[in-house]
Amino acid sequence: MMTENKKTVVLGASPNPSRYAYTAANMLHERAIPFVPVGIKTGNILGKPILNLREKPSLQDIHTVTLYIGPQHQDEWYDYILSLKPKRIIFNPGTENQELMNLAKTNGIEVVPACTLVLLSTGQY
């Protein structure tokens, strides 16, 4: 499987090892899939600084955005998420949001309601 082309934004990244976003970043790293941690928490994940979501960092060549932000906090980031022009957005359990899913589809972005950890564990990423 070609993974080097699947640069992934972990949106809602956290330096806390007990958070799923941290586990996802670790699993991406273990599989040599490039990732960019973006969130409102400060810190590092595997030596990579978490980019400040409030600054809406400019990123290029994004294949996947994996969401770890609950739907009640997503609306202020819709434009930013869409501006990344990902090929797909993974809506992890608890992040499902029909409004953002519809916006993504309208913009030609694949919508995947699934768990990133399961996709990585089963080779379906």
Side-chain angles (χ1 to χ4, degrees):
M1 178 188 303
M2 297 282 289
T3 56
E4 62 272 7
N5 299 335
K6 294 190 176 177
K7 185 174 172 184
T8 299
V9 171
V10 179
L11 200 61
S14 170
N16 183 342
S18 69
R19 305 296 296 186
Y20 288 121
Y22 184 96
T23 303
N26 193 50
M27 289 179 74
L28 289 164
H29 175 76
E30 288 172 350
R31 288 156 178 78
I33 299 169
F35 72 93
V36 181
V38 178
I40 59 171
K41 305 280 189 210
T42 57
N44 292 285
I45 299 177
L46 302 165
K48 291 184 179 216
I50 296 173
L51 302 181
N52 188 333
L53 179 57
R54 290 186 171 84
E55 295 175 4
K56 299 178 180 166
S58 178
L59 303 170
Q60 303 297 317
D61 304 317
I62 301 303
H63 181 278
T64 300
V65 171
T66 182
L67 280 180
Y68 289 96
I69 298 174
Q72 69 277 21
H73 299 293
Q74 291 172 7
D75 58 342
E76 67 182 298
W77 309 116
Y78 287 177
D79 290 341
Y80 176 67
I81 294 167
L82 298 174
S83 78
L84 296 174
K85 296 182 171 42
K87 297 197 180 340
R88 68 179 173 180
I89 299 173
I90 299 174
F91 288 82
N92 287 284
T95 68
E96 298 91 345
N97 174 343
Q98 198 58 55
E99 185 177 24
L100 181 53
M101 289 174 164
N102 291 341
L103 283 169
K105 289 176 185 174
T106 300
N107 283 274
I109 300 167
E110 180 185 5
V111 168
V112 182
C115 176
T116 296
L117 306 181
V118 171
L119 293 174
L120 288 164
S121 295
T122 58
Q124 299 177 71
Y125 194 80

